[in-house]
Amino acid sequence: MNGSVLIVDDEKTLRGIVTAVLEECGYEVLAVESGEAALQCAHDFAPDIALLDLKLTGMDGVETMQKLRDALGSASPTFVIMTAHGTIRSAVDAIRKGALDYVTKPFDNDELKLSIERAFQMRRLERRVEALESQLEERFRPENMVGQSGAMDAVFRMIGKVAPLDTTVLVTGETGTGKELVARAIHRHSDRREGSFVALNCGAIPPTLLESSFFGHERGAFTDAKTTRRGAFEQASGGSLFLDEVAELSQAAQVGLLRALEDGAIHRVGGEKAIPVDVRFIAATNRDLQAEVEVGNFREDLFWRLNVVSIHLPALRERSGDIAALADHFIARHSDRMGVQSKNLDAEALAYLIAYDWPGNVRELENAVESSLALATGATIAPADLPARVCHSSVGEAVHRSDSTEERRHTLAEAVERTRIAVEERMILDALKEADGNRTHAAEYLGISRKTLFNKIKELGIEFGGE
């Protein structure tokens, strides 16, 4: 079955002819004689396409279209209008009000088939776009970004606070910590979500092309400017512009950016007209911008324009308690994409992952998991499947110092236990710090009871001021 079509026409003969033509093409067809009848059957039939006569008895085609759209909401069909030659202007008006296409009576069967096929192609495209938008919405929900540590909980809560506010955000953190993910999450949960999210890596653009990349250019502005081009600011107007590695901008580029931020307008290269832009700015850097200001590498006035609200992403080594959850997340994502069976990390492999320092942060962890999935031949990922650099961690060195298998297992067991203790201690300290020493709130952050937290603090000998 190719899909379903609802035919609404008060001419019985025409309903029969159109039904036969479309059923021959493999469509499921339901034909009714009025807009009222269409409303009665629409929920149960759930048509993909509604083929409406413009001049119906009772409700006309446009009113029927509008009422079907109101009744079905997001499940509303794609509409095609049937009209006589003398009422084409009315059909065009119907298109302005939401119909996709129209066919004129008497119509050729091939013309009808082509119009319905176009409608189905548009329908499939719309569904694909809706699915992709839904996936984006799900992926960039703050609560679905992976991390249970106190530091990441603070990041998630800050995203939730700042996303609805139309203000500039500066995201800081080492390379690979996920700064663009945070920027996208902010955009997806803002009032600008229907607008474009445009990302620009300031460090990857040659200085000679930076102004054009930011502001666009007019045709003939320079040798290779064969056509007029909109820059990132215009492309992001009505949405969000993410400027990654903003500390890499030259002094001249900083001046241009500051002017655009303050004026709310840009000039294309080679153009004289000021073009208004409505953009939310999210900037990111892996450097200490305040320190860059102090040594004269970054303009202080631009720093304060960008640093209205700041979100800092911790390095992965500072939240090793999230490594197991992150690894599972990447295994699920890449096993589906690669078309391989999902695998589990065995305890030894997880110990290596936790012990490793991760200079490349979350991005490096994702790379290591993807590589391990490709190499693993069994149902689990073992240490032998991990990249060699991960196995050269302190746990790996402790394991390889022992020659006998029994000593090797004993050393690894001790290493795993030490890692568990270190992770628990770090997570508890993070939670206590986030809760200002309040153990009840810290226990809530960790998802355990206050009594369990008290026992853990006593067991690990943790000292922390507060209640």
Side-chain angles (χ1 to χ4, degrees):
M1 193 68 65
N2 289 335
S4 56
V5 181
L6 174 64
I7 301 169
V8 188
D9 196 295
D10 49 15
E11 296 181 39
K12 183 177 180 181
T13 302
L14 187 139
R15 290 200 305 271
I17 293 172
V18 174
T19 297
V21 169
L22 296 182
E23 284 183 340
E24 184 181 348
C25 295
Y27 297 114
E28 181 183 5
V29 180
L30 176 64
V32 297
E33 72 283 357
S34 68
E36 291 81 1
L39 285 169
Q40 290 176 3
C41 69
H43 277 289
D44 290 335
F45 185 58
D48 296 306
I49 308 295
L51 182 62
L52 307 176
D53 185 25
L54 190 62
K55 297 295 184 181
L56 291 169
T57 304
M59 287 193 300
D60 65 16
V62 171
E63 186 180 0
T64 299
M65 176 179 71
Q66 292 171 333
K67 290 198 173 183
L68 281 172
R69 185 180 289 120
D70 291 342
L72 297 177
S74 61
S76 180
T78 299
F79 295 96
V80 177
I81 297 294
M82 294 183 287
T83 185
H85 278 290
T87 56
I88 290 178
R89 180 173 295 182
S90 298
V92 172
D93 183 60
I95 289 176
R96 290 196 188 100
K97 292 177 180 177
L100 174 69
D101 197 5
Y102 70 90
V103 292
T104 55
K105 299 179 182 178
F107 46 73
D108 178 79
N109 287 349
D110 289 336
E111 178 191 358
L112 175 64
K113 292 176 187 178
L114 182 60
S115 181
I116 295 298
E117 178 56 31
R118 278 200 303 263
F120 267 103
Q121 288 176 355
M122 180 60 70
R123 182 81 171 173
R124 285 190 287 268
L125 180 60
E126 288 173 348
R127 286 178 172 174
R128 178 62 177 158
V129 169
E130 287 171 2
L132 290 171
E133 288 182 343
S134 177
Q135 290 172 16
L136 279 174
E137 185 74 29
E138 185 67 18
R139 180 177 179 187
F140 297 120
R141 285 164 59 97
E143 58 268 34
N144 286 342
M145 295 174 71
V146 180
Q148 300 173 339
S149 62
M152 287 306 295
D153 184 63
V155 170
F156 300 150
R157 285 189 285 111
M158 184 62 80
I159 291 172
K161 285 181 182 179
V162 77
L165 308 176
D166 206 19
T167 189
T168 303
V169 180
L170 179 64
V171 186
T172 62
E174 295 180 8
T175 299
T177 49
K179 296 187 288 295
E180 184 171 342
L181 287 178
V182 170
R184 288 184 179 275
I186 291 171
H187 173 74
R188 295 296 301 178
H189 292 81
S190 73
D191 292 338
R192 295 173 174 269
R193 67 177 66 89
E194 300 300 326
S196 298
F197 176 89
V198 178
L200 207 61
N201 188 325
C202 300
I205 303 170
T208 54
L209 297 179
L210 198 58
E211 187 179 7
S212 175
S213 297
F214 273 180
F215 309 128
H217 60 252
E218 298 290 348
R219 180 182 178 184
F222 46 86
T223 303
D224 293 327
K226 303 288 195 266
T227 60
T228 296
R229 178 183 178 276
R230 295 190 310 148
F233 277 68
E234 283 186 80
Q235 294 171 33
S237 193
S240 303
L241 176 58
F242 175 56
L243 300 178
D244 198 7
E245 304 305 347
V246 71
E248 303 297 329
L249 290 174
S250 67
Q251 289 287 335
Q254 291 176 38
V255 171
L257 175 58
L258 179 63
R259 185 182 300 117
L261 283 166
E262 291 181 339
D263 295 347
I266 57 96
H267 288 80
R268 291 177 184 157
V269 177
E272 297 181 357
K273 183 177 69 173
I275 301 172
V277 289
D278 174 26
V279 175
R280 185 199 189 147
F281 294 93
I282 307 171
T285 181
N286 59 6
R287 295 194 201 174
D288 182 344
L289 269 194
Q290 183 74 66
E292 294 295 309
V293 169
E294 291 171 1
V295 298
N297 291 334
F298 202 82
R299 293 180 63 97
E300 185 174 15
D301 45 7
L302 179 57
F303 171 72
W304 293 119
R305 287 288 300 178
L306 296 176
N307 191 29
V308 178
V309 176
S310 180
I311 298 177
H312 179 71
L313 283 175
L316 187 54
R317 63 182 173 277
E318 297 170 1
R319 57 183 187 107
S320 55
D322 292 334
I323 287 176
L326 281 164
D328 288 342
H329 172 74
F330 292 138
I331 287 171
R333 177 193 294 179
H334 289 294
S335 58
D336 285 344
R337 184 185 61 78
M338 295 166 65
V340 300
Q341 183 179 0
S342 183
K343 303 178 188 297
N344 295 317
L345 274 169
D346 71 20
E348 296 180 22
L350 180 57
Y352 281 110
L353 294 182
I354 292 173
Y356 185 58
D357 200 41
W358 298 110
N361 290 295
V362 178
R363 188 179 297 155
E364 185 183 3
L365 174 62
E366 181 173 11
N367 173 273
V369 169
E370 185 177 2
S371 171
S372 301
L373 271 173
L375 296 176
T377 55
T380 60
I381 294 175
D385 304 316
L386 298 175
R389 65 184 184 281
V390 175
C391 296
H392 292 157
S393 65
S394 57
V395 170
E397 292 169 0
V399 171
H400 290 295
R401 277 199 298 267
S402 299
D403 292 326
S404 73
T405 302
E406 197 58 41
E407 288 177 343
R408 195 180 181 93
R409 288 175 181 161
H410 180 64
T411 302
L412 181 61
E414 288 179 343
V416 171
E417 179 63 14
R418 287 196 303 272
T419 301
R420 180 192 67 79
I421 292 171
V423 169
E424 286 188 353
E425 182 176 3
R426 183 176 296 172
M427 289 183 69
I428 290 170
L429 284 169
D430 283 346
L432 286 169
K433 183 178 179 181
E434 183 64 33
D436 293 326
N438 186 305
R439 295 183 182 182
T440 300
H441 292 164
E444 291 174 357
Y445 292 150
L446 294 166
I448 59 178
S449 68
R450 192 178 188 281
K451 182 179 179 181
T452 300
L453 176 60
F454 179 81
N455 290 336
K456 286 286 185 184
I457 290 173
K458 185 176 180 181
E459 174 192 340
L460 299 173
I462 294 174
E463 295 183 3
F464 192 92
E467 68 151 350

